[in-house]
Amino acid sequence: MSFAAEPDPGRPRSSRPRGEEFFARQKTSTAQLPPPEVFVRNIVRGILEVLAGVREVEQLARWLSEEVYRSLVTRANLAARARSARRVPARRDVHEIRSVHISSPADGVIEATVTASARTRTRAIALRLEGMDGRWRVTALGLL
């Protein structure tokens, strides 16, 4: 009696995922993901709250690629230092999302630009989302 998994005769041997491929991030089609506009609006609000110092970046980690996460941590730390140097407390501004423009250059990929306003500042945010492991993930982020 053998407990080893028998090869699937209907699947070519070369197309079977190997160990690393099986456990690596899996791309997800746009059709299998929720509409991106709601996600874009929510993630932008979260990012702006991180920069304002009223949210921890760890709360957004599952929706950010490693590179974007590290970049956001760096920017949040710089913003916190600047507030500390000026002795200004972190404030929870209400950010109004003025516009969201979305395009899809490929299946499972969304590029979006967002304009958001608070009391004293208007910001432009550009981001790229990719469908991975059944959810949208931010793989590129630009803030002005």
Side-chain angles (χ1 to χ4, degrees):
M1 176 187 262
S2 172
F3 290 103
E6 295 296 319
D8 182 1
R11 186 172 184 180
R13 184 170 183 84
S14 62
S15 70
R16 287 190 204 120
R18 289 181 228 122
E20 285 183 19
E21 294 169 359
F22 184 75
F23 292 105
R25 297 220 180 269
Q26 303 294 313
K27 293 193 179 277
T28 304
S29 171
T30 302
Q32 297 172 323
L33 295 164
E37 186 168 344
V38 172
F39 176 78
V40 168
R41 288 176 177 274
N42 289 333
I43 198 72
V44 165
R45 278 194 186 99
I47 289 167
L48 293 173
E49 289 173 357
V50 166
L51 295 175
V54 296
R55 178 185 292 267
E56 295 295 325
V57 71
E58 289 81 14
Q59 294 175 344
L60 304 179
R62 69 184 292 182
W63 296 289
L64 305 176
S65 69
E66 190 68 31
E67 181 182 329
V68 171
Y69 177 83
R70 277 190 250 120
S71 171
L72 193 55
V73 166
T74 301
R75 288 190 75 145
N77 288 338
L78 290 173
R81 269 198 250 158
R83 279 191 305 276
S84 176
R86 292 184 316 224
R87 291 185 163 80
V88 176
R91 289 190 202 155
R92 181 177 292 277
D93 278 340
V94 176
H95 291 91
E96 178 185 348
I97 304 295
R98 300 252 175 182
S99 68
V100 177
H101 297 279
I102 293 176
S103 67
S104 180
D107 184 39
V109 177
I110 297 292
E111 293 178 347
T113 56
V114 179
T115 306
S117 297
R119 281 181 291 139
T120 59
R121 188 173 191 179
T122 299
R123 297 190 86 144
I125 300 101
L127 39 109
R128 180 181 175 98
L129 310 176
E130 294 182 19
M132 291 189 198
D133 297 333
R135 75 172 65 125
W136 290 114
R137 290 179 60 96
V138 179
T139 57
L141 176 67
L143 294 148
L144 298 176

